[in-house]
Amino acid sequence: MPSETRHSLLTFLYMSKRSLPPKINFSFKKKTDLSDGKSSKKAFWSSLLMTFLATTISIVLTFGTAKLLDHRERVKDRKLSALMVMSNIETFANKLEIFANDMERRDTIGAWILSKPAEYFDSIPEVELQRPVNRLVALNLLSHDKTAESIFSDNIDTWKNMGNFQFIDNVGQCFSMMNEIERYWNDWVFEVEEDSKEVVAHPDQFKGENMYSKQIGYSALRSKIARIHRWSGWLRYAAATIRYSNEKNMALIGISKKELDEFTELRNKDIAISSQKPNANDYYPTDLDVNNLPTIKSMTDRLDSIAYKP
């Protein structure tokens, strides 16, 4: 290459290098990501939601548990009230059975008396007739504890809240039957007493050697003695009817017969105490001995001293 040409080329290259623009260092900053803001907001709302849910659950658990415990307590109280009501009904049925057994024993005496003519008893001493005749005319009145019935009637709204209206109706029918049975029996007892009192009040109007033979000979009283046999059967039928209805109550409320019997036994169990039951005979004064002259004399002297005191 000629020297001139080579010199011209070098000059061009030198000048070209000087004329190049300065080198630019492209260092790019990280562009701000808009999704970071969204993530922060999302985390905030998630935290707030979790806090709200935790608070809500805590409140629900607190009040829900209290309500559940209260519900369980009410269910327990209702079950106890139902047991008291049904135990009262069962106790009445048991009493009817006791009365039926007693009437069967009285019926044995009545059958013996009716097998004899009224004149037969004139030859029997009065003291020997007293006990059997009293067994026939001195009958016990029938009654039941009205406490459970009052509790049931006075709190009828509470029972309605149980929602078991069939149970309410059936218990009401049981109490109605109990009151009707009680009234029917007691009316008959009063009729027997009235016939007996009629003889005592007007003994001259009746045949017989003594008060008891007169009662046995009274036709109205004899007809009632003849009905004793029927009454024992009627009492057993009444007891069976009451128990039948009470079994429906047990089924409606979900209580077993064993559970009811245990509660009834516990409720009627006698409480053991150190003291003895009072006896009426221990509190009445002894009869005055009219044959005891010193007693009569001392009383006469006291009366005279009062009547004739100067």
Side-chain angles (χ1 to χ4, degrees), residues 189-200:
V189 171
F190 289 136
E191 288 178 9
V192 174
E193 287 183 355
E194 288 300 318
D195 289 341
S196 178
K197 290 178 180 179
E198 181 69 17
V199 177
V200 174

Side-chain angles (χ1 to χ4, degrees), residues 23-41:
K23 187 179 179 180
I24 300 174
N25 185 13
F26 294 95
S27 96
F28 298 96
K29 292 184 178 179
K30 189 175 180 182
K31 188 176 181 181
T32 303
D33 193 352
L34 297 178
S35 63
D36 288 349
K38 293 181 179 179
S39 298
S40 299
K41 292 182 178 180

Side-chain angles (χ1 to χ4, degrees), residues 80-97:
L80 179 60
S81 299
L83 276 170
M84 289 185 63
V85 168
M86 291 185 290
S87 175
N88 181 264
I89 297 171
E90 190 69 17
T91 300
F92 182 76
N94 293 338
K95 180 177 286 188
L96 291 176
E97 288 281 0

Side-chain angles (χ1 to χ4, degrees), residues 97-245:
E97 288 281 0
I98 294 173
F99 270 57
N101 294 334
D102 181 64
M103 290 302 289
E104 286 182 353
R105 290 190 289 268
R106 294 173 191 264
D107 183 44
T108 302
I109 300 173
W112 171 70
I113 288 177
L114 294 176
S115 67
K116 308 291 183 181
E119 297 80 10
Y120 171 81
F121 299 99
D122 290 335
S123 60
I124 300 178
E126 183 177 10
V127 67
E128 295 183 14
L129 288 176
Q130 180 180 359
R131 186 173 180 181
V133 172
N134 284 340
R135 287 281 291 167
L136 296 176
V137 300
L139 302 172
N140 296 322
L141 292 173
L142 184 62
S143 64
H144 69 276
D145 183 12
K146 300 294 193 299
T147 304
E149 185 176 356
S150 298
I151 292 174
F152 177 80
S153 301
D154 295 341
N155 297 277
I156 194 67
D157 292 336
T158 302
W159 290 101
K160 288 180 179 179
N161 291 334
M162 294 175 64
N164 197 336
F165 293 98
Q166 197 171 5
F167 173 77
I168 298 172
D169 293 340
N170 204 66
V171 169
Q173 290 175 5
C174 284
F175 283 131
S176 296
M177 284 191 295
M178 290 165 61
N179 291 324
E180 185 63 21
I181 291 169
E182 185 177 301
R183 183 195 63 78
Y184 191 61
W185 168 265
N186 291 341
D187 284 350
W188 185 70
V189 171
F190 289 136
E191 288 178 9
V192 174
E193 287 183 355
E194 288 300 318
D195 289 341
S196 178
K197 290 178 180 179
E198 181 69 17
V199 177
V200 174
H202 309 285
D204 296 338
Q205 299 179 9
F206 299 91
K207 296 180 180 180
E209 294 298 323
N210 56 65
M211 188 63 64
Y212 298 107
S213 63
K214 290 176 184 292
Q215 291 183 355
I216 293 173
Y218 184 26
S219 59
L221 201 53
R222 288 179 71 89
S223 66
K224 289 181 174 60
I225 293 174
R227 291 171 57 190
I228 290 179
H229 180 73
R230 300 285 299 176
W231 275 105
S232 61
W234 180 85
L235 288 166
R236 293 195 187 280
Y237 168 72
T241 303
I242 291 293
R243 286 201 178 99
Y244 175 76
S245 297

